[in-house]
Amino acid sequence: MLSSFFKLKELGTTIKTEILAGITTFLTMVYIVIINPIILHSAGVPFDTVFIATIIATVVGTLWMALMANYPIAIAPGMGLNAYFAFSVVGNHPDIDYRIAFGAVFVAGILFVILSLTPFREKLIESIPANLKHGITAGIGLFIAFIGLRLTKIIVAHPDNLVTLGDMHSPTVLLALGGLAITLILMGLNVNGALFFGMIITGAIAYYTGHLTFKEGFVSTPNLPSELFIFGDPITAFSDVFQYGLYAVVFSFLLVTIFDTTGTMVGVAEQAGLMKGNKMPRARQALLADSVATTVGAAFGTSPTSAYIESSSGVAAGGRSGLTSVVVAILFVAAAFFSPLVGAISGLSAITAPTLIIVGSLMLGSLSKINWNELDEAFPAFLIILTMPLTSSIATGIALGFISYPILKIVKGKYREVPFLVYLFAVLFFYQLAFLPH
């Protein structure tokens, strides 16, 4: 039943592989159920409200991706978007509280759903030049590897050079390096589920060395939402956008989410070998997943959702179908009842960061597909690859690639090769970077 519904044989995978891939993806991204409430709580949102809203949005979006699109891609509230919500929208506007801001997210979500129901986003994926797609995949790879190095403090901040090597005698750094070595050995030995078993072994070492503790136990009863629309009602949400002049906020949420998710989906789908030429099969169903999740999440109290780059860890573990995403969704439901356990594991990045570093290296295989002999093709891709990790933003990397690509094509006299949508979004991205907060 499962094999036929998710087309496992056709995709060259098995139920066991998909389950291990789902667990791997979950473990690498479960930190969001702790980090997202912490960030949004700084804007005044109750921690428990965000915790359960994060899980609801993740489960809705990920199940939609699994059952409607059959992709091994998880959806959850996006990092960066939550910080923009907390510090730029609420923090910089004393007259706008978090409820009004959630209304703006809801409006962006509704517009997002409408766009996803049209051929617009599918055409957008098809119009992205091949070299930019390869650059997006490689840029995401460097980005998540950098995240892994930064979270474990293998790389730390530096006042002059921005980053530098961390304390290599730190117990957590040594634990992360040990986990990295263990996982690489398992991969070198061609062990199925090497990424997952690497995390399990690293977690066991952390527990026996005292770095992983469960002082608050393992289980707790989740606090269910007390209200459906945290911002009042949909009509209030739309009227607040006009009353408080939140047009730029809605536009920023919409533009960043479109490209954050589109870029991630293209990158992960290409890594999994699911792209058919220049097209992404079942693109409309896949793109609806994050727009629906953003709308539902805003109603319960969380910032916009996005496809998660950590999904690439599950793909690296063999995940090829929506069954991987079903496993992720089920584990997030369980996380609602095991918040102390989830908090303990996600609080020790040394367990999951080695997987992010290894997956980052695997995604750099896209570099070989870029046409480095043509400046007008190579430089925009290079700009994406360079700026994604340096700005900690997938959308910013894509923006700079989209802006530079048509400029170089025009200079080279090849302006007819540039699709209209690339010109359109080059202008929109320029406007956003120049005049809107980001």
Side-chain angles (χ1 to χ4, degrees):
M1 181 69 177
L2 286 175
S3 295
S4 59
F5 183 83
F6 291 107
K7 300 180 175 144
L8 300 188
K9 287 185 180 179
E10 181 183 322
L11 294 169
T13 184
T14 64
I15 291 176
K16 179 183 176 182
T17 299
E18 294 292 301
I19 291 173
L20 284 176
I23 296 172
T24 300
T25 296
F26 171 77
L27 289 175
T28 57
M29 66 176 287
V30 68
Y31 66 85
I32 194 63
V33 301
I34 302 299
I35 300 300
N36 197 47
I38 289 173
I39 291 174
L40 295 188
H41 182 61
S42 65
V45 193
F47 186 94
D48 289 341
T49 297
V50 187
F51 178 81
I52 199 66
T54 299
I55 290 174
I56 291 172
T58 301
V59 171
V60 168
T62 303
L63 279 180
W64 187 292
M65 182 69 74
L67 302 177
M68 300 297 179
N70 197 27
Y71 279 116
I73 299 174
I75 303 289
M79 290 295 292
L81 289 166
N82 49 14
Y84 173 64
F85 177 96
F87 306 121
S88 295
V89 179
V90 179
N92 287 342
H93 299 87
D95 56 332
I96 298 175
D97 67 9
Y98 68 84
R99 294 177 183 273
I100 296 171
F102 278 132
V105 175
F106 180 80
V107 171
I110 294 294
L111 295 175
F112 205 13
V113 169
I114 294 171
L115 283 176
S116 299
L117 286 170
T118 68
F120 172 77
R121 288 185 72 188
E122 288 182 72
K123 295 292 184 185
L124 177 59
I125 288 179
E126 294 171 16
S127 69
I128 300 175
N131 284 290
L132 292 191
K133 286 179 179 173
H134 300 321
I136 289 168
T137 304
I140 289 173
L142 279 182
F143 182 26
I144 63 175
F146 180 67
I147 289 173
L149 292 170
R150 183 167 50 83
L151 288 175
T152 53
K153 299 195 184 318
I154 294 174
I155 286 178
V156 296
H158 188 278
D160 299 318
N161 298 327
L162 299 182
V163 293
T164 189
L165 191 65
D167 179 8
M168 301 307 286
H169 297 96
S170 165
T172 53
V173 169
L174 292 173
L175 179 63
L177 292 174
L180 183 62
I182 289 166
T183 308
L184 287 171
I185 290 170
L186 293 175
M187 292 182 72
L189 295 173
N190 296 318
V191 174
N192 289 329
L195 294 172
F196 170 69
F197 290 117
M199 284 188 282
I200 294 297
I201 295 171
T202 307
I205 294 171
Y207 178 76
Y208 285 110
T209 56
H211 294 97
L212 179 62
T213 58
F214 304 100
K215 295 178 181 177
E216 297 183 15
F218 298 92
V219 183
S220 66
T221 303
N223 294 316
L224 296 177
S226 58
E227 50 191 344
L228 175 57
F229 294 107
I230 194 170
F231 45 77
D233 59 70
I235 296 175
T236 301
F238 279 90
S239 65
D240 282 345
V241 169
F242 293 102
Q243 181 178 344
Y244 294 95
L246 298 176
Y247 316 108
V249 171
V250 171
F251 177 73
S252 293
F253 277 137
L254 190 60
L255 193 60
V256 172
T257 308
I258 283 175
F259 275 89
D260 210 16
T261 297
T262 303
T264 301
M265 284 185 186
V266 168
V268 175
E270 186 174 281
Q271 180 198 1
L274 300 173
M275 294 289 286
K276 303 296 182 184
N278 206 37
K279 296 186 177 182
M280 185 178 178
R282 306 174 303 283
R284 187 173 300 183
Q285 296 92 322
L287 295 167
L288 270 169
D290 64 308
S291 53
V292 170
T294 290
T295 307
V296 172
F300 287 105
T302 188
S303 48
T305 60
S306 176
Y308 254 58
I309 53 178
E310 286 83 355
S311 302
S312 54
S313 65
V315 169
R320 292 294 180 274
S321 79
L323 184 54
T324 293
S325 299
V326 169
V327 173
V328 174
I330 291 171
L331 291 174
F332 267 98
V333 172
F337 297 89
F338 291 90
S339 60
L341 173 64
V342 170
I345 294 174
S346 62
L348 186 60
S349 57
I351 296 174
T352 56
T355 294
L356 299 181
I357 296 168
I358 292 171
V359 169
S361 74
L362 297 176
M363 295 185 75
L364 287 178
S366 294
L367 290 174
S368 64
K369 301 175 184 177
I370 296 173
N371 182 5
W372 294 107
N373 296 320
E374 298 289 339
L375 179 68
D376 51 324
E377 294 286 341
F379 187 79
F382 163 76
L383 206 54
I384 291 172
I385 296 164
L386 179 69
T387 54
M388 276 190 188
L390 293 183
T391 62
S392 294
S393 170
I394 293 172
T396 299
I398 293 173
L400 294 174
F402 262 69
I403 292 169
S404 61
Y405 187 85
I407 291 174
L408 285 171
K409 286 294 184 182
I410 291 170
V411 170
K412 297 277 284 185
K414 301 178 181 178
Y415 59 89
R416 290 189 181 90
E417 296 180 7
V418 183
F420 169 74
L421 282 178
V422 175
Y423 281 119
L424 173 63
F425 276 95
V427 173
L428 292 176
F429 272 128
F430 177 80
Y431 176 77
Q432 189 217 12
L433 292 178
F435 302 108
L436 298 179
H438 48 82

